[in-house]
Amino acid sequence: MKVRLLFVDDGEYHHETVEVPATSIDAHERLIDCLREDDAVQKTVFVDVDRLVAAHIDD
């Protein structure tokens, strides 16, 4: 599934879209938990959660 991430860097905002396995998303109650804790996600995508402002599934 495509997930759209919003990051902030020194007051500047930017978006990124990443691919996350649907099974990983379904295995977690919250999307942020999936991004921070799921091994399958962490092996393919680095998400700097300290700069992450928002995340949502992009249809």
Side-chain angles (χ1 to χ4, degrees):
M1 299 184 95
K2 291 185 180 184
V3 175
R4 190 152 167 98
L5 307 173
L6 175 63
F7 293 97
V8 65
D9 231 351
D10 297 322
E12 303 272 331
Y13 292 89
H14 68 276
H15 287 96
E16 276 191 50
T17 301
V18 297
E19 292 278 337
V20 176
T23 54
S24 295
I25 292 173
D26 292 341
H28 296 274
E29 187 173 317
R30 301 181 315 162
L31 183 56
I32 189 69
D33 294 335
C34 175
L35 296 172
R36 289 191 311 188
E37 301 169 2
D38 194 277
D39 290 335
V41 174
Q42 291 180 350
K43 287 180 184 177
T44 59
V45 177
F46 172 74
V47 177
D48 186 348
V49 293
D50 292 332
R51 296 183 311 126
L52 183 64
V53 176
H56 67 273
I57 296 172
D58 194 13
D59 292 341

